[in-house]
Amino acid sequence: MNTAGNWDRPPAVAQRILNAVLPDSHREVVAGDLEEAYTAFAEQEGVWKANWWYRKEVAITLCHGARWRLAAWLRKNTSSTITQENRMLPVGTATNRPLAFAVSIGVLGYAISFALIPVFLPRIIERSGHDGWWMRVLLMEVCGYGLLFLATTLFLRAERVSLFSQRLALSIGAFLTMMALQHGVPIAFGIAMRRHPLMDTQQLTFAAIWLATGIVSSVVVARVAGASRIPAAS
Amino acid sequence: MSEPHRQLGGFEQAVLLALVSLKDEAYGVSIRNELERQLGRSVSFGAVYTTLDRLLVKGLVNTHLGEPTSERGGRAKKFFTIDRRGVEALRHARHAAQTLWASTPLPRTR
């Protein structure tokens, strides 16, 4: 102990936050390392600097901690047939879990299309005019799934997954197939009902079929492509 | 084409080299100190453990828990050692870098 205070103990609040947020797999080891390093730092640089250093390290560690927690959750909740490497990667895991992959893409793409795009691109959508319903829908859909596809690509690249090109091809295939079926099935439904599929009275049915078709088609694509094109990483 | 587990990033190489250098004394604090000394910059524990996790998943390092010590608040150390596959990956990375440097002369600077 020195005159400035109790330097062998790190700041209590930061320590409590660290212990609360870190996953079980890392808590003891990381907290121990930080405390040991804090003690050495305090002896060399003084308590004040050591306290700030500790708080900064805790803040950085918490950012990494979110990732460790996600990885731990994936390890716990994913199939035992997939490899450790894949368990670390949400999208990589999803491509080995067709249902999760399909539901994620189906729901997210649908949500992005109908929620985000009209907010960011109102002028473009308005210019398509009242008669351009199809163009409007197509635009929203392309942008929505385009954003989702871009996010998927960036994630796969950032995480340096193995078999990047195969996983990317699977994603493209799922997106394209889903889009094609989402347009094709409602039209067929409309023709079978002898009504135009885009009439106002059928909007709700149309939307429900749209979403269901997207999910089902993704399941099929992901199951077929996921099983045959994505071998387990070594 | 090389196997995925043999593809190492720059920081992964630095961490593996630190493990080689530290031998049986490689744990969070010593690895971080060694990296700061070798790289000449500040390194966070978060970055170190994220990289070690990735190397562990790739099967390039092994780990075991040590005894709890009082200087760590009664917490145990987690020791890391490089695996045979880790050594192979380092050799592969060095060979790739040497080949690249040998075939690419740098332009002269004035």
Side-chain angles (χ1 to χ4, degrees):
Chain A
M1 171 142 2
N2 64 10
T3 53
N6 188 17
W7 52 258
D8 60 349
R9 298 296 301 167
V13 174
Q15 204 170 22
R16 280 198 202 104
I17 293 172
L18 187 73
N19 286 330
V21 174
L22 281 184
D24 295 343
S25 56
H26 289 74
R27 186 177 298 124
E28 180 170 333
V29 172
V30 175
D33 280 344
L34 276 173
E35 186 161 339
E36 183 180 334
Y38 167 84
T39 307
F41 199 95
E43 285 176 348
Q44 287 179 355
E45 304 285 342
V47 181
W48 195 81
K49 278 189 178 179
N51 284 346
W52 280 107
W53 172 85
Y54 187 86
R55 291 183 187 112
K56 185 191 80 177
E57 281 293 324
V58 167
I60 296 170
T61 306
L62 292 182
C63 296
H64 289 279
R67 183 174 171 167
W68 299 337
R69 198 170 269 283
L70 176 66
W73 183 87
L74 286 170
R75 281 194 204 103
K76 189 179 174 185
N77 291 283
T78 51
S79 164
S80 59
T81 57
I82 60 176
T83 62
Q84 277 286 334
E85 182 175 356
N86 287 334
R87 284 178 203 172
M88 296 284 290
L89 312 166
V91 176
T93 301
T95 53
N96 284 283
R97 300 183 69 205
L99 188 60
F101 179 65
V103 171
S104 302
I105 288 181
V107 174
L108 277 176
Y110 195 77
I112 292 171
S113 297
F114 284 89
L116 292 181
I117 301 309
V119 175
F120 290 112
L121 298 172
R123 286 186 183 176
I124 297 174
I125 291 168
E126 281 172 14
R127 278 181 194 170
S128 65
H130 189 68
D131 297 331
W133 203 91
W134 269 109
M135 182 62 75
R136 214 160 62 212
V137 170
L138 190 64
L139 183 67
M140 285 193 292
E141 203 175 337
V142 168
C143 290
Y145 285 106
L147 280 176
L148 192 59
F149 173 67
L150 183 65
T152 306
T153 307
L154 290 174
F155 186 85
L156 290 171
R157 178 47 75 197
E159 289 288 349
R160 295 178 185 171
V161 298
S162 58
L163 303 167
F164 170 77
S165 56
Q166 287 94 325
R167 292 186 195 280
L168 197 60
L170 171 61
S171 301
I172 294 171
F175 292 143
L176 293 180
T177 306
M178 189 178 351
M179 283 182 68
L181 288 177
Q182 279 180 341
H183 285 288
V185 172
I187 289 172
F189 173 77
I191 292 170
M193 298 292 287
R194 295 179 182 278
R195 289 179 185 176
H196 195 277
L198 303 180
M199 287 173 68
D200 287 343
T201 53
Q202 297 198 359
Q203 287 289 320
L204 195 61
T205 312
F206 177 76
I209 293 174
W210 189 310
L211 182 60
T213 309
I215 292 173
V216 171
S217 59
S218 288
V219 170
V220 173
V221 170
R223 191 174 286 279
V224 172
S228 61
R229 295 185 190 175
I230 310 289
S234 58
Chain B
M1 192 174 171
S2 62
E3 299 167 48
H5 76 270
R6 293 176 71 179
Q7 295 171 357
L8 293 176
F11 197 66
E12 288 177 334
Q13 287 181 44
V15 170
L16 283 177
L17 287 169
L19 296 188
V20 173
S21 172
L22 292 165
K23 296 177 183 170
D24 294 335
E25 289 301 315
Y27 68 104
V29 175
S30 63
I31 294 169
R32 175 180 164 275
N33 291 344
E34 179 70 10
L35 286 172
E36 287 192 340
R37 194 176 66 81
Q38 294 286 358
L39 299 176
R41 63 177 172 86
S42 176
V43 175
S44 73
F45 280 107
V48 170
Y49 272 103
T50 297
T51 306
L52 285 169
D53 279 350
R54 197 182 302 136
L55 294 172
L56 205 58
V57 166
K58 287 181 176 180
L60 303 183
V61 299
N62 299 313
T63 179
H64 67 274
L65 278 178
E67 293 297 316
T69 58
S70 59
E71 62 184 350
R72 300 166 57 84
R75 300 184 185 92
K77 290 177 184 175
K78 192 174 190 179
F79 289 97
F80 294 87
T81 52
I82 189 165
D83 189 82
R84 181 182 51 81
R85 289 206 289 175
V87 177
E88 279 177 19
L90 274 179
R91 281 210 186 96
H92 181 264
R94 184 175 63 180
H95 176 71
Q98 284 173 341
T99 306
L100 202 62
W101 278 99
S103 62
T104 314
L106 288 178
R108 288 182 179 176
T109 55
R110 294 178 181 178

